[in-house]
Amino acid sequence: MAMLSRAVWGILRGRNRDDRRRSPEPERRQVEFSQTPPADPVVLDPVEPREPPEIEELLVMADVELAEKQEQLDELDRRYREAVRDQRRLEEENSRLRGRLTTVYRGLVPEEVTPARDLPVTAESPSHAAELARLHLADHLSLPVEACVQLDKIDNVPGSRTWGENAWRGFLALHAYGEALAAQENPGNFRAWCENSHHPHVWPPNAKKLAMSESKTVGRSGRMSAKRMFPVDRAYDPSGAVFMEAHLKIGVGRGTLLPRVYFVADRGTAKVYVGYFGPHRNVPNTLT
């Protein structure tokens, strides 16, 4: 009985195997995806942008207002220049009157008063100031061409006119000091003369406008000291160059283009020798 059961089980397994071989494979369904063709691009006619009439009117009004403001600025600039000239004249007159008052007080009124020289009132730029100095002040002020360095650079900055006026005023002061040396007076150094002479062309002797010496740091620095070796007339020094540290500060504030005037004075020749007139950046110190 057991053998019969195994035989029947074997027949059934074989039949199942044959059935699996004869059964057809399931159909593979193919799915087609529909694609919509791309639409033709829409071509628009070019439209030139146009400004609304209101904007055009506003632009015209803005141009007119800008022109009016520029005219006002030019007028204010003109008035400022006139005010500076008037201030210079008043300062000169005030200094002259103080000098006369001092002379009268001391009982030293001269019998004859030498008329003042007819000199230009101001200069339009640093270069112009140098030209005027060589033209009008050469008897007691030496300003060689080689002492003027990079004046074209400082001529083209916004403050150049003010610097020109200040430079001319400084040259007048140095020339007047040379006249004092020629008169066999004992004016002291340039700072003392500015403080005590009451001359109409004195230079402000405060630290912001005048330095009679450099700092100890500059003096100990070989590099900085070499920057202050400037050309000089051989009548003053046969070598043609000397160390200069006294200088006028033509421009006040911070900046490498601020003009400086370095000079030495000589009682023997009754002259002041300018060795350098140019931007501050060429004579650096501990702050530059």
Side-chain angles (χ1 to χ4, degrees):
M1 187 67 179
M3 294 177 60
L4 180 60
S5 298
R6 285 196 293 274
V8 173
W9 175 250
I11 293 170
L12 292 174
R13 289 182 59 188
R15 187 177 295 170
N16 290 337
R17 218 178 272 119
D18 294 338
D19 290 341
R20 284 197 299 271
R21 290 195 189 100
R22 290 192 297 269
S23 61
E25 295 182 1
E27 292 186 10
R28 295 181 179 178
R29 299 177 62 187
Q30 296 182 355
V31 180
E32 296 181 357
F33 297 93
S34 61
Q35 296 182 355
T36 304
D40 294 335
V42 179
V43 179
L44 300 177
D45 294 334
V47 179
E48 295 183 359
R50 298 181 60 186
E51 295 180 350
E54 296 82 1
I55 295 182
E56 293 181 358
E57 293 178 1
L58 289 175
L59 290 174
V60 172
M61 294 173 60
D63 289 339
V64 173
E65 185 175 356
L66 182 61
E68 293 176 352
K69 295 298 183 183
Q70 185 61 48
E71 291 179 0
Q72 295 176 6
L73 182 62
D74 294 340
E75 177 63 19
L76 290 175
D77 183 63
R78 185 187 64 79
R79 292 181 181 179
Y80 168 74
R81 293 176 183 177
E82 290 180 353
V84 169
R85 295 190 187 98
D86 292 341
Q87 180 185 3
R88 294 283 188 272
R89 295 190 189 98
L90 291 174
E91 288 178 351
E92 293 174 359
E93 180 66 13
N94 186 37
S95 297
R96 187 186 68 81
L97 292 175
R98 282 188 300 173
R100 291 285 296 162
L101 180 62
T102 301
T103 303
V104 171
Y105 179 77
R106 292 174 179 174
L108 300 175
V109 181
E111 297 180 358
E112 295 183 0
V113 178
T114 304
R117 297 173 60 181
D118 186 15
L119 295 171
V121 176
T122 186
E124 297 179 357
S125 67
S127 293
H128 188 215
E131 293 174 3
L132 293 178
R134 282 191 287 268
L135 182 62
H136 297 281
L137 309 179
D139 55 341
H140 294 290
L141 179 68
S142 173
L143 179 59
V145 175
E146 57 268 25
C148 299
V149 180
Q150 297 178 342
L151 294 186
D152 56 328
K153 296 186 181 299
I154 58 178
D155 279 345
N156 296 319
V157 299
S160 64
R161 187 176 185 89
T162 300
W163 291 346
E165 294 170 352
N166 290 341
W168 175 238
R169 185 180 175 190
F171 292 145
L172 288 173
L174 294 176
H175 176 267
Y177 180 63
E179 288 181 325
L181 295 175
Q184 301 298 320
E185 300 176 5
N186 185 21
N189 65 12
F190 181 69
R191 183 192 295 277
W193 175 81
C194 290
E195 291 174 342
N196 303 319
S197 70
H198 303 290
H199 193 280
H201 290 154
V202 294
W203 181 257
N206 59 74
K208 290 185 177 180
K209 301 290 290 183
L210 173 65
M212 294 302 296
S213 62
E214 296 284 13
S215 66
K216 293 181 179 179
T217 303
V218 172
R220 288 194 294 262
S221 171
R223 180 181 65 85
M224 293 183 181
S225 296
K227 295 289 185 179
R228 289 158 174 79
M229 290 294 298
F230 297 122
V232 70
D233 194 308
R234 294 185 183 275
Y236 176 77
D237 193 287
S239 68
V242 295
F243 175 73
M244 299 184 187
E245 51 184 341
H247 58 277
L248 308 181
K249 301 176 183 180
I250 303 301
V252 179
R254 291 186 177 273
T256 59
L257 288 178
L258 297 173
R260 295 290 186 266
V261 173
Y262 279 77
F263 66 92
V264 292
D266 180 44
R267 181 183 293 274
T269 57
K271 266 192 175 184
V272 176
Y273 297 89
V274 174
Y276 177 80
F277 177 31
H280 189 202
R281 65 185 178 189
N282 294 324
V283 279
N285 55 27
T286 55
L287 299 177
T288 56

